[in-house]
Amino acid sequence: MTRESPVEAENHGLPEESGVIPEQSTAEQNISGTSSAEEHDEGGATTESSAARIYLPPVRAKLPLRTAVAVRAAKITSRLSRSLGFGAGGMIGGRVALKLDPLALGRLCAGRRVALVTGTNGKTTTTLMLSTAVAALGRVASNHSGANMPDGLVSALASQPAAPIAVLEVDEGYFPAVAQQVRPEVVVLLNLSRDQLDRVGEVRGVERALRTVVTDLADCTVVANCDDVMMTSAAFDAPSVIWVSTGIGWHADSASCPRCGSPVVRDEIRWHCDCGLRRPEPDWAASRGELVVPGRPGPERLTLELALPGAVNEANAAMATAAANAMGAAVAESVARLRALRNVAGRYRVIERTGHTARLLLAKNPAGWTETLTMLDGTDSPVVVAVNGREADGRDLSWLWDVPFERLHGRPVIAAGERATDLAVRLTYAEVDHVVVPDSLRAIDLAQTGPVEVIANYTAFRDLNVKASHAH
């Protein structure tokens, strides 16, 4: 049997993503070519008006023969992969296309308005949010199911060659090469922290690579998280930056300046370094369930009321809405669209089985786990924690010791996954009472009847989704 690559395997068995955000209703399409409905307050965000919006027409550019052949081969390969049960086909098709035409990625982006989303945590959710918001402007090709390396990007673009907008999640390690090929209109920089050091490498090296390419991007608007020291450094010298305050503060990887190595001085929400790197004043902000938007004569506030839980998703929404606005989408409509999102490639999915209602949460690194654990505050439900250690997760599980599992005190906890015993050692040192049940579904079944919170890392989360789908 052919082995799945780590990222190809990521989507195996999950709900299939089409790679495109649906078009608007017929009535909205009929307004194509009319005057713009979006008026820009001077110095403010795009607001609604009574006029109709322009709906972008399909891309009509003809691909070079080599690229067209590569795209055709990619589609055939993807379909074959799915039919044989090897995976969703999102990686292998793109891999074939790039072998036949190494320039396929740039050529498939020609004539499109392109936005790239990168960072350690929140890429998939923010990509889906941004895709959903800019779908008000036209059809969107996107890889919002998470295949975020060049192979996956090519597959997403090839699946919708006529979509005039492309919103692409990009692995932070591949971002410099991708950005240089596609020349994006908008770049979204979320956050940087330790993640899979055996694959990605040290976070400061990633920041330097991002900084080099972002600074040199012409005709590009950068939407950057000003509360993240690493991403602020990466965007600080870019020609056009929209700064967003997310209120999410993971500081363990930025005690010292990424530029000069001096200590970063923090004063409540502000921070600075003696070399001149400092927290910029934000243009947008997520604050206690509200979105703070630039306007005249002063900032305006919109209630988010998201169905997706947690402050981290309010932060993702702020980044996505700011980026969508930079592309011409009206703020109020973008927020309304985001309220309809209830799960993201299986994240936050709720499954019912054996008298249990289990909510599935994904966390992949210390920063992500820390934010995910805050979603459990105010509840006393049992928790199943599932951890694997495959290539896609990172073989080295030393990161478990940086996760504040002490927050689980007083709850029934079950350690699950292929590395349940490693997890059990960490929980023991955290003085968290627990039992070990390696099979995640069985762990849910053995929890007390009622709501159950399930937090899993990359492949453990994927496997659980697959098993849960097959169990129904």
Side-chain angles (χ1 to χ4, degrees):
M1 178 179 290
T2 305
R3 290 181 59 234
E4 294 170 317
S5 73
V7 183
E8 178 82 14
E10 172 188 345
N11 297 319
H12 181 70
L14 295 181
E16 184 69 27
E17 300 286 355
S18 66
V20 64
I21 301 295
E23 294 188 41
Q24 290 180 299
S25 66
T26 304
E28 290 173 308
Q29 294 177 50
N30 287 341
I31 62 176
S32 178
T34 57
S35 60
S36 174
E38 296 152 356
E39 298 174 348
H40 290 266
D41 293 332
E42 185 179 351
T46 304
T47 58
E48 298 277 15
S49 80
S50 58
R53 269 192 315 277
I54 294 177
Y55 192 75
L56 298 175
V59 174
R60 301 298 185 190
K62 185 176 181 180
L63 292 173
L65 178 60
R66 183 173 182 176
T67 308
V69 171
V71 167
R72 181 63 178 163
K75 291 180 178 179
I76 293 171
T77 306
S78 293
R79 284 198 295 270
L80 182 62
S81 176
R82 288 193 295 271
S83 66
L84 295 176
F86 292 156
M91 291 292 292
I92 189 63
R95 193 167 299 164
V96 167
L98 287 171
K99 286 291 185 182
L100 295 174
D101 181 9
L103 301 179
L105 178 57
R107 288 170 172 170
L108 284 167
C109 285
R112 307 192 203 229
R113 302 180 65 187
V114 179
L116 303 181
V117 180
T118 196
T120 304
N121 292 309
K123 294 188 294 292
T124 301
T125 301
T126 304
T127 298
L128 178 58
M129 287 179 166
L130 179 53
S131 300
T132 301
V134 297
L137 307 177
R139 289 180 67 83
V140 183
S142 181
N143 61 331
H144 48 76
S145 60
N148 59 21
M149 298 180 188
D151 305 337
L153 309 186
V154 168
S155 286
L157 294 166
S159 69
Q160 283 295 325
I165 303 171
V167 177
L168 303 174
E169 170 189 341
V170 185
D171 178 271
E172 55 270 33
Y174 285 90
F175 178 86
V178 170
Q180 288 172 341
Q181 290 183 62
V182 308
R183 312 306 295 180
E185 175 183 337
V186 171
V187 163
V188 182
L189 302 181
L190 297 170
N191 48 71
L192 275 181
S193 62
R194 284 167 290 151
D195 186 27
Q196 300 184 40
L197 293 177
D198 51 350
R199 181 182 72 83
V200 178
E202 204 277 327
V203 67
R204 291 167 187 267
V206 177
E207 183 277 326
R208 286 191 294 271
L210 291 180
R211 187 197 321 168
T212 298
V213 70
V214 167
T215 300
D216 291 339
L217 287 176
D219 302 318
C220 176
T221 298
V222 178
V223 179
N225 178 2
C226 66
D227 293 328
D228 187 275
V229 173
M230 294 293 174
M231 282 310 198
T232 297
S233 177
F236 204 67
D237 300 319
S240 175
V241 187
I242 297 171
W243 297 106
V244 181
S245 173
T246 64
I248 303 297
W250 171 262
H251 303 151
D253 296 309
S254 56
S256 61
C257 177
R259 296 191 168 205
C260 72
S262 298
V264 172
V265 180
R266 299 184 185 278
D267 177 17
E268 296 182 356
I269 63 172
R270 292 180 174 79
W271 56 265
H272 72 275
C273 175
D274 292 341
C275 72
L277 183 66
R278 55 174 176 74
R279 178 185 184 267
E281 287 300 315
D283 303 298
W284 296 62
S287 177
R288 299 179 181 179
E290 292 185 324
L291 180 64
V292 183
V293 180
R296 294 289 186 181
E300 301 174 2
R301 292 178 176 268
L302 285 80
T303 302
L304 286 170
E305 296 178 330
L306 300 177
L308 297 178
V312 66
N313 281 314
E314 293 174 359
N316 293 335
M319 299 291 290
T321 306
N325 189 249
M327 297 182 77
V331 176
E333 181 171 357
S334 293
V335 171
R337 285 170 170 262
L338 300 192
R339 288 173 183 151
L341 298 177
R342 282 173 169 73
N343 75 70
V344 182
R347 296 159 174 86
Y348 317 111
R349 176 187 178 190
V350 174
I351 60 174
E352 303 275 353
R353 60 177 287 115
T354 61
H356 300 87
T357 302
R359 179 173 65 159
L360 310 187
L361 303 171
L362 172 67
K364 298 181 290 184
N365 48 62
W369 277 89
T370 299
E371 290 299 329
T372 300
L373 287 171
T374 65
M375 296 183 189
L376 310 187
D377 293 346
T379 71
D380 58 0
S381 304
V383 178
V384 174
V385 182
V387 173
N388 287 353
R390 302 180 196 172
E391 185 177 351
D393 306 301
R395 304 288 188 187
D396 180 4
L397 293 189
S398 60
W399 56 265
L400 287 172
W401 296 88
D402 294 323
V403 177
F405 286 114
E406 290 78 6
R407 293 185 180 182
L408 297 177
H409 283 159
R411 293 173 178 271
V413 176
I414 302 176
E418 297 168 351
R419 304 293 289 271
T421 52
D422 297 82
L423 173 61
V425 172
R426 172 67 184 100
L427 293 173
T428 299
Y429 275 88
E431 300 182 345
V432 174
D433 292 334
H434 63 280
V435 296
V436 176
V437 181
D439 184 277
S440 299
L441 274 186
R442 179 161 173 74
I444 295 172
D445 294 342
L446 292 177
Q448 67 187 44
T449 302
V452 179
E453 303 286 359
V454 182
I455 311 175
N457 73 339
Y458 214 59
T459 64
F461 179 85
R462 181 206 70 203
D463 291 351
L464 180 55
N465 266 286
V466 172
K467 291 179 181 178
S469 296
H470 290 168
H472 283 283

